[in-house]
Amino acid sequence: MIPATISQLVSDKFQEAQKNNNVVYKKLDSKLIKDKETGMRYYATLLPSLNDKPEFGDTAESEDPLAAHEPELLVLEDIDGSGNLKLVLNKFPTTENHSLLITNEFKNQLSALTPEELMTSYRLISKMDNEDEGKRHMIIYNSGPQSGSSQKHKHLQLFELPEKFTPFQDVLTNGKDHFLPNIKEEPLQDDKVSFAHFVLPLPEEAEEVTEDLLAMCYFSLLQRTLTFFQDWLNETPDLVKSYNLLLTKKWICLVPRSSIKAKSLNVGFNSLGYAGILLIKDQESFDKIIETPTIVNDLLLECGFPNTAGVKPNEYNY
Ligand code: AMP
């Protein structure tokens, strides 16, 4: 069982780690902005401390910083009594309390999530969310070299959503009942945004969310994402499969990725970008995005694939 006091455990650990300089966290500014053309809202953060974070390929093959993390960052060695996952503070957090769910045994970040990992993630979010205080959380999984992932040891990441921020997936799934996609019913996709993404609403009642249900949601979206790559292989034969997974209590979303970084501006994205949470390392790029929020839709497309809302699926999609 995940301890009922998990929120407190994480925030106490984070305060202590920040006081003792065990985490590298420097946030200079953050702003809520809106793209008037698409209606997309973004939460942009200027975070120079991200320059210290190792990027994909920076860590030597023989090293595993997520296994050999500093003891001061450990929140729980065994998050739910199964012995499979530990909860560790992120050394280079992007928000306060930013934590990692790391497999105790080494598994590769390219491997699919297991039903147990999905269920533990859902339970963790449910324990951390606090409706009275308006606190919501999201768990992400960056998988593949173009996904924004930097470590090969399997890990998911836990964040609190910024206050008063509504990811577009909330609007997309609002009032919609849970369903599993099939040849007749595609996953939800917002036709106003540029990039392909596949979203399913989760049941409102937490008791209805089981390991099987989460696994079916994930695998059907993964199947849709992988067949999507199939369509692009002729044009880009070197394409390596990469995707982002985003999970909240309300929905699950997968985004196929083509590139970590946009070429037109010095910004990169992981899963957070595809919820509208932008982590910017330098002032110049931050200012540009604040001045012209419409460019973000193009940057996200540059690192993803074109939106396919309204395109009829074929038998290979499912
Ligand atoms: P990703 O970049 O999606 O693969 O996530 C890996 C995360 O591990 C990043 O957010 C890093 O900030 C974090 N990280 C890197 N090195 C360490 C470390 N030594 N201890 C804890 N977290 C780390």
Side-chain angles (χ1 to χ4, degrees), residues 46-60:
L46 176 57
L47 207 67
S49 51
L50 269 190
N51 287 302
D52 294 334
K53 173 180 118 66
E55 295 204 0
F56 185 79
D58 285 350
T59 307

Side-chain angles (χ1 to χ4, degrees), residues 180-221:
L180 285 173
N182 55 44
I183 190 84
K184 292 209 189 86
E185 202 170 7
E186 275 272 275
L188 303 176
Q189 203 171 169
D190 186 336
D191 60 7
K192 289 187 290 305
V193 304
S194 55
F195 54 89
H197 55 281
F198 305 110
V199 186
L200 291 177
L202 293 174
E204 240 174 80
E205 299 299 327
E207 300 77 54
E208 289 174 31
V209 179
T210 60
E211 225 172 76
D212 285 354
L213 180 132
L214 287 173
M216 284 193 289
C217 290
Y218 169 61
F219 285 114
S220 60
L221 295 184

Side-chain angles (χ1 to χ4, degrees), residues 223-236:
Q223 164 96 359
R224 187 68 191 84
T225 301
L226 296 182
T227 53
F228 190 88
F229 284 110
Q230 207 83 33
D231 300 342
W232 283 85
L233 272 178
N234 286 341
E235 279 179 49
T236 32

Side-chain angles (χ1 to χ4, degrees), residues 58-68 106 151-153:
D58 285 350
T59 307
E61 260 313 295
S62 55
E63 284 175 27
D64 183 356
L66 299 194
F106 181 85
Q151 296 298 331
K152 61 180 187 300
H153 189 134

